[in-house]
Structures are given as structure tokens and as C-alpha cells.
Amino acid sequence: MLTGAFGCAAQAQVPVANIQATCKAASAVTLGLSGNTDSQNDINICLDSENRARQQLAKDWSTYIPPTGPECVQTGVYLPSYIEWLTCLEMNKSVRQMRQGGQYMKGLTNPDGSMTMPPLAGLGLSIRSSILRP
């Protein structure tokens, strides 16, 4: 069994991230790009978003399978983020569910078992035939 943040999923708590530092750094980048001077508003919006993501993580923490955690939840990295952790955990959970249901292969497998790419029209791409033909 894994120890640390994912030792026992039902009893484990969401690791702590310094969102104040993360939001302050993100605000500085935003200000540098936009030229705005209202950094406190940006910081407050960021803190609110991070706190909502932490609440969602705490609510759903026991539903995440431990092996998913170490790759998603890393407290010692530069500017850790609850939003980033939540996104990673949810994506991994969705992929795992699709694989268990066999849905990830649907539409990509030919009758002979070979793989194919999805049709471009299904991806919302519009390619004119003149591009494909010389």
C-alpha cells in the first residue's frame, strides 16, 4: 500500500499547497502581460478558484485510486495548484472508467482489429479536397 498523501484514501486528507504564493505569482505574470495594475483582484479570484478546487478535492478524495495520486499531486513542485491536481485526478479517473467500459476503442477499431483515426468531420475540422489533392 502507498504511504503519504494516498496511504489510505478513505482517511487521507488533501495535501496542503501554498496557494497564496501560487496566486501571487500567477497575478504577477498576468499583470506583466496585460499592463493592468489591479493585482489584488486577480489574486482574490485565483484564491477563490483554488479554494473551490480544494473543497471539491476534499469531497471526492476517497474516490481517487491511490496509484493516480503521485503523478498528479506533487506538493514540492514550483507553484502547486489544487486546480491542477483536481484536473489531473479527474482526467485519470475518466480515462480509467472509459478503459474499463471499452469505450476508448469504440470508433477507432476496424472490423479486422486494426486501428484507425477518427473521421476528421467528427473532430470539427474542415479540410477542403483541394488541399488533399494536388
Side-chain angles (χ1 to χ4, degrees):
M1 176 173 272
L2 292 174
T3 58
F6 284 84
C8 179
Q11 295 177 355
Q13 303 229 350
V14 177
V16 176
N18 184 351
I19 58 171
Q20 189 72 31
T22 297
C23 289
K24 194 171 186 176
S27 175
V29 169
T30 303
L31 290 175
L33 295 174
S34 68
N36 290 336
T37 57
D38 186 14
S39 66
Q40 191 56 50
N41 187 48
D42 289 342
I43 292 171
N44 290 340
I45 291 169
C46 177
L47 289 171
D48 183 54
S49 298
E50 288 289 342
N51 282 319
R52 281 187 277 130
R54 188 183 196 302
Q55 289 170 354
Q56 188 66 42
L57 278 169
K59 178 182 165 198
D60 298 337
W61 193 250
S62 65
T63 66
Y64 301 116
I65 294 178
T68 303
E71 63 197 37
C72 291
V73 180
Q74 298 181 15
T75 59
V77 297
Y78 178 69
L79 302 178
S81 166
Y82 295 118
I83 294 169
E84 183 178 318
W85 297 349
L86 180 62
T87 301
C88 180
L89 289 166
E90 288 295 325
M91 286 174 34
N92 284 344
K93 185 177 178 181
S94 293
V95 168
R96 196 171 42 257
Q97 289 171 343
M98 287 183 354
R99 285 180 177 164
Q100 288 172 349
Q103 295 176 359
Y104 74 106
M105 299 294 281
K106 191 175 184 180
L108 298 179
T109 307
N110 294 320
D112 65 359
S114 63
M115 298 293 290
T116 186
M117 293 297 293
L120 292 177
L123 298 176
L125 300 174
S126 175
I127 298 179
R128 297 184 313 215
S129 60
S130 62
I131 294 174
L132 298 175
R133 294 183 196 150

